[in-house]
Amino acid sequence: MKLASFEIGGHPEIGLVAGTRIISLTRALPGLPGSMVEVIVHWQSVRAAIGELHLDSAPGFPLADVVLRAPIARPGKVMAIGMNYADHVAESGAKPPAHQVWFTKTVNSVHAPYAPIKLPRVSNAVDYEAELVFIIGTAGRYISKLAAPGHVFGYCVGNDVSARDWQLRTPQWVLGKSFDTHGPFGPWITTADEVGDPHRLGIRTRVNGELRQQSNTRELIFDVFEQIAHLSEVMTLEPGDVVFSGTPGGVGAAMKPPVYLRDADRVQCEVDELGMIEAVCEAE
Ligand code: MG
């Protein structure tokens, strides 16, 4: 299933994407929790209720008529791994990491899948990073790699927008990764059962139509389930937590000379089967 957070007439709703239509679960299922995190927490009963719906007659809208929001408005945490595709490690002039390299994108960075990305007045080096994003479904600590698939609720496309000047002038990347609007993801959550194996999906970025990144999630150095095992050694992963799983080669910072995002640039990030997110950049 494809679950979206959307608004129509300024009213926030949760929907089920069915082709070119979005069914309003908020309207069709009285008692549906108001937030996507709560829908995830109560997923067994919500899924059963969706199964009882007559989708053809359920209340809905043309997908084109609604505004998609970030699938999870306020995740408990947004974690992101760096240096996780060999070609991106090489273009960054780094060595393959012995350990998983983690940082957080603070939750203010969470942003809708088609909303403009702000180019902050204090940065001249804003860059894109297309990523497979996964959403935690079931809480856990010390989750084994073998058990990890059972803790994934679903997958999205993300853009780990990065202010390279801020990111790289200190050893700690968090500020450069956490500007407002710099964590768009979506366009919806495709549930894990629908995706199956997440390590076989083409991933790409286009800027103004020009192909910049093109790879496949099979190239992940540390795969999704190894990431869950490692992170959960440190922290309890909770329903609705958002994890960016790394970007392949082809970022603007690695071009010769580097090419950063400019006002009015159009950035499209896409992962096979999960959809595409798209933003026009806006100078602040
Ligand atoms: Mg990244």
Side-chain angles (χ1 to χ4, degrees):
M1 281 186 244
K2 294 178 167 61
L3 296 170
S5 295
F6 71 98
E7 62 180 70
I8 186 156
H11 184 252
E13 303 193 22
I14 290 171
L16 179 69
V17 177
T20 58
R21 197 158 168 267
I22 186 162
I23 292 156
S24 172
L25 297 178
T26 302
R27 297 176 193 220
L29 300 175
L32 184 82
S35 77
M36 187 68 85
V37 172
E38 288 299 305
V39 166
I40 292 170
V41 167
H42 298 288
W43 180 238
Q44 297 306 329
S45 58
V46 172
R47 184 173 60 184
I50 293 172
E52 300 287 308
L53 284 177
H54 296 282
L55 296 184
D56 290 342
S57 58
F61 309 96
L63 193 51
D65 289 356
V66 307
V67 176
L68 292 175
R69 296 180 151 201
I72 297 172
R74 205 72 179 172
K77 50 188 169 293
V78 181
M79 298 300 298
I81 189 171
M83 300 295 154
N84 203 29
Y85 284 79
D87 58 349
H88 180 56
V89 173
E91 74 179 3
S92 303
K95 291 194 175 72
H99 303 282
Q100 298 183 24
V101 178
W102 284 98
F103 55 93
T104 188
K105 290 175 79 70
T106 51
V107 295
N108 61 290
S109 66
V110 166
H111 199 47
Y114 299 119
I117 292 170
K118 299 286 186 189
L119 304 180
R121 67 181 69 147
V122 294
S123 174
N124 296 312
V126 177
D127 205 355
Y128 52 82
E129 295 190 351
E131 308 204 5
L132 170 70
V133 163
F134 59 92
I135 311 294
I136 297 297
T138 311
R141 182 87 199 279
Y142 296 114
I143 300 166
S144 68
K145 182 180 175 186
L146 203 62
H151 289 262
V152 180
F153 180 74
Y155 298 92
C156 304
V157 186
N159 186 352
D160 175 17
V161 181
S162 305
R164 300 296 185 199
D165 38 6
W166 283 72
Q167 178 192 347
L168 299 174
R169 69 194 184 194
T170 58
Q172 173 55 259
W173 297 352
V174 170
L175 290 185
K177 295 286 195 173
S178 293
F179 279 86
D180 287 353
T181 77
H182 285 192
F185 68 101
W188 38 72
I189 303 170
T190 303
T191 52
D193 58 337
E194 186 165 315
V195 174
D197 178 7
H199 304 118
R200 53 172 187 85
L201 303 172
I203 180 168
R204 59 199 73 81
T205 297
R206 289 184 176 82
V207 178
N208 301 327
E210 179 192 352
L211 187 63
R212 295 281 187 87
Q213 293 186 288
Q214 179 166 237
S215 186
N216 190 289
T217 55
R218 78 170 70 91
E219 304 295 333
L220 285 168
I221 295 172
F222 299 105
D223 73 24
V224 166
F225 307 131
E226 290 166 329
Q227 293 179 35
I228 289 172
H230 191 74
L231 272 182
S232 71
E233 289 186 333
V234 177
M235 60 189 75
T236 302
L237 295 176
E238 299 176 301
D241 285 352
V242 173
V243 184
F244 284 68
S245 69
T247 201
V251 299
M255 296 175 74
K256 306 272 188 279
V259 177
Y260 295 112
L261 294 171
R262 286 170 299 213
D263 189 42
D265 278 352
R266 181 177 298 273
V267 185
Q268 297 167 312
C269 297
E270 184 177 30
V271 176
D272 289 349
E273 301 179 26
L274 306 183
M276 185 173 75
I277 64 173
E278 176 173 333
V280 173
C281 297
E282 276 184 10
E284 190 176 57

